Amino acid sequence: MKELDINELERRFQEKIDKDIKIEPNDWMPDNYRQTLIRQISQHAHSEIVGMLPEGNWITRAPNLRRKAVLLAKVQDEAGHGLYLYSATETLGADREDTIDDLHSGKAKYSSIFNYPTLSWADMGAIGWLVDGAAIMNQVPLCRCSYGPYARAMVRVCKEESFHQRQGYEIMTTLANGTPEQKAMAQDALNRFWWPALMMFGPSDKDSKHTAQSMAWKIKRQTNDELRQQMVDITVPQAELIGLTVPDPDLKWNEERGHYDFGEINWDEFWNVVKGNGPCNKERVEARRKAKENGAWVREAANAYAAKQKMKKAS
Amino acid sequence: MSNKEWPLWEVFIRSKQGLNHKHVGSLRAADAEMAVSNARDVYTRRSEGVSIWVVESSHVHASHPTDADALFEPAHSKVYRHPTFYDVPEGIEHM
Ligand SMILES: [Fe+2]
Ligand SMILES: [Fe+2]
């Protein structure tokens, strides 16, 4: 094989991307592409795993057995999503344990939405409807991402997500049609989760430093602001249908644009939570760290057992 | 503390009788038995399979992407391996 210079390799790489040919693990890729993917996919994996905590908080207090079975199944799905994604980072050469330790040391980020507390049962409704709703909106375009293993993981994830959103909306609908107190609970949950859900799409396009390169590499297929607008347009009628009010005084249908206009996001709050100062940041990371430490003996025992079985078989 | 990471396994699932096992992803497990039971939890929560294979990833040997041309290009020019290459008289049936 003759040595190709890096420019030629990069040109061929981009040509493949432009032709919508997927990149697979052993293919040549620019180092930046690899690093960008590792960062994005591991953040995504961490979000799935940390995302189990706010909902796990309500499993034992679900109002009936049906809701409990559903919530359990949903939270278990999120664990699965985390695992598909950690596997995808490993195909890029990332070490699984380092990846997880980066979360625990605070070096790696995860979606800020999970740093908000879940104060009432209605929050299970708001999270399924809005948080999983926003996650779906983010993940559907990622099914066409240029990196094969990430795209395939997203196809699986999206298939599984659709029930997550529906079960959440069902909870909201039930509460909204219930007693005045129940309806107030639903409205309160919407009030608290609306803005953080819109923040899930990340900083505004003008402040998003990675967007242009990620779009060229087809790691990202739509900008943060485009997705956020889509979310607002789709969700507002869903709120209206069940008699809930979106907490945004500036929200107004814009006939000319064919979209809703909506109020300015509180970016100070967004950056503050990203930097670790949200209501639950410390608690979430601490819970993950403890899970790893407390599970260490189990992993060791499994290793010892596997070694022993191997020896038995050999003798 | 021995913190040796569990080995990586590739998972293959037969979605129904009559179809072949297909690669679906990977996971970590201490041994084959655990790999099968983890694969069940991770990859078949919605009846996606009736049978599971797991193979330790280090046992998979693959062709290298840079050899793809040498390996697969020669087949492109051998169109006579396909039935559509041949001329048959008009009106011929069952062939
Ligand atoms: Fe998920
Ligand atoms: Fe979900």
Side-chain angles (χ1 to χ4, degrees):
Chain A
M1 193 188 83
K2 63 173 191 290
E3 284 300 321
L4 292 164
D5 74 40
I6 188 103
N7 292 329
E8 178 59 13
L9 284 167
E10 270 177 12
R11 196 192 59 76
R12 287 190 189 181
F13 174 82
Q14 190 60 47
E15 198 176 85
K16 265 165 94 176
I17 302 259
D18 294 340
K19 281 195 208 151
D20 276 325
I21 296 172
K22 296 273 187 231
I23 308 302
E24 295 293 347
N26 294 328
D27 293 346
W28 186 89
M29 60 187 86
D31 206 44
N32 262 339
Y33 177 83
R34 186 185 300 277
Q35 295 314 326
T36 302
L37 275 172
I38 291 177
R39 194 189 62 235
Q40 181 173 333
I41 302 173
S42 61
Q43 270 185 24
H44 196 160
H46 299 327
S47 303
E48 302 284 353
I49 299 297
V50 176
M52 296 162 76
L53 297 168
E55 290 179 301
N57 178 36
W58 280 91
I59 290 175
T60 55
R61 290 175 288 165
N64 59 48
L65 202 52
R66 179 181 182 272
R67 297 278 187 225
K68 186 172 182 165
V70 167
L71 189 57
L72 257 177
K74 180 193 187 285
V75 172
Q76 193 189 12
D77 272 355
E78 306 301 4
H81 298 173
L83 290 174
Y84 310 152
L85 290 162
Y86 283 128
S87 296
T89 63
E90 288 192 276
T91 65
L92 291 158
D95 179 84
R96 166 98 55 135
E97 185 148 17
D98 290 349
T99 307
I100 289 169
D101 288 342
D102 283 349
L103 169 70
H104 298 176
S105 72
K107 192 177 154 204
K109 302 284 175 220
Y110 54 89
S111 182
S112 280
I113 190 81
F114 303 117
N115 290 317
Y116 291 86
T118 44
L119 305 176
S120 85
W121 170 254
D123 292 6
M124 298 304 97
I127 288 180
W129 173 34
L130 302 173
V131 177
D132 289 79
I136 292 170
M137 203 136 290
N138 256 324
Q139 287 164 346
V140 166
L142 288 174
C143 295
R144 294 185 297 121
C145 161
S146 60
Y147 187 57
Y150 192 25
R152 291 192 286 274
M154 283 302 105
V155 171
R156 274 191 89 82
V157 165
C158 285
K159 264 189 209 152
E160 299 181 353
E161 287 290 355
S162 51
F163 110 70
H164 298 182
Q165 191 185 21
R166 279 188 177 217
Q167 64 86 35
Y169 192 61
E170 192 191 77
I171 292 172
M172 291 305 257
T173 308
T174 308
L175 291 171
N177 291 325
T179 64
E181 289 83 0
Q182 286 172 322
K183 185 167 182 181
M185 265 171 74
Q187 182 62 53
D188 173 60
L190 172 58
N191 292 348
R192 283 180 292 109
F193 278 93
W194 174 257
W195 291 105
L198 293 190
M199 292 177 198
M200 282 176 70
F201 297 96
S204 156
D205 292 349
K206 57 183 193 311
D207 301 317
S208 174
K209 49 184 176 184
H210 302 299
T211 296
Q213 181 60 76
S214 288
M215 298 278 282
W217 278 335
K218 296 188 182 169
I219 290 175
K220 207 170 176 162
R221 312 286 312 228
Q222 270 172 301
T223 71
N224 297 353
D225 287 335
E226 283 167 12
L227 291 165
R228 193 167 7 245
Q229 179 74 60
Q230 247 181 57
M231 174 78 185
V232 173
D233 290 349
I234 286 176
T235 314
V236 170
Q238 293 171 349
E240 282 169 358
L241 193 75
I242 54 176
L244 297 179
T245 311
V246 170
D248 178 358
D250 299 320
L251 188 74
K252 211 173 103 220
W253 177 252
N254 183 326
E255 194 64 57
E256 210 174 297
R257 287 202 311 129
H259 292 291
Y260 280 96
D261 291 335
F262 56 97
E264 184 66 26
I265 283 174
N266 182 344
W267 293 113
D268 290 340
E269 176 183 330
F270 172 79
W271 290 114
N272 197 39
V273 182
V274 169
K275 282 179 190 132
N277 305 318
C280 302
N281 296 56
K282 290 201 179 66
E283 188 185 328
R284 300 294 187 231
V285 173
E286 195 47 39
R288 292 312 311 154
R289 211 182 290 141
K290 267 202 190 131
K292 189 185 171 194
E293 281 167 17
N294 295 343
W297 71 271
V298 180
R299 294 191 299 279
E300 268 179 64
N303 266 336
Y305 177 77
K308 212 166 153 186
Q309 291 300 105
K310 218 180 208 169
M311 260 176 27
K312 253 193 201 160
K313 250 190 208 154
S315 65
Chain B
M1 186 167 63
S2 118
N3 233 340
K4 190 172 75 106
E5 245 185 300
W6 291 345
L8 192 65
W9 301 76
E10 299 303 320
V11 179
F12 301 79
I13 305 272
R14 185 201 295 287
S15 57
K16 64 176 200 188
Q17 292 294 113
L19 296 180
N20 45 12
H21 287 76
K22 202 175 148 195
H23 184 244
V24 292
S26 53
L27 50 75
R28 288 194 174 266
D31 58 22
E33 197 187 336
M34 188 196 277
V36 169
S37 89
N38 286 358
R40 170 209 175 255
D41 288 343
V42 179
Y43 292 106
T44 67
R45 288 195 305 285
R46 287 173 175 75
S47 320
E48 291 95 335
V50 294
S51 163
I52 297 170
W53 285 355
V54 293
V55 180
E56 241 189 280
S57 309
S58 59
H59 293 169
V60 174
H61 301 271
S63 64
H64 200 274
T66 50
D67 297 336
D69 280 356
L71 289 172
F72 309 117
E73 190 70 49
H76 296 341
S77 57
K78 308 208 171 29
V79 283
Y80 45 83
R81 285 173 176 164
H82 299 277
T84 44
F85 177 75
Y86 298 92
D87 293 326
V88 291
E90 194 90 15
I92 194 97
E93 280 181 64
H94 308 299
M95 190 181 275

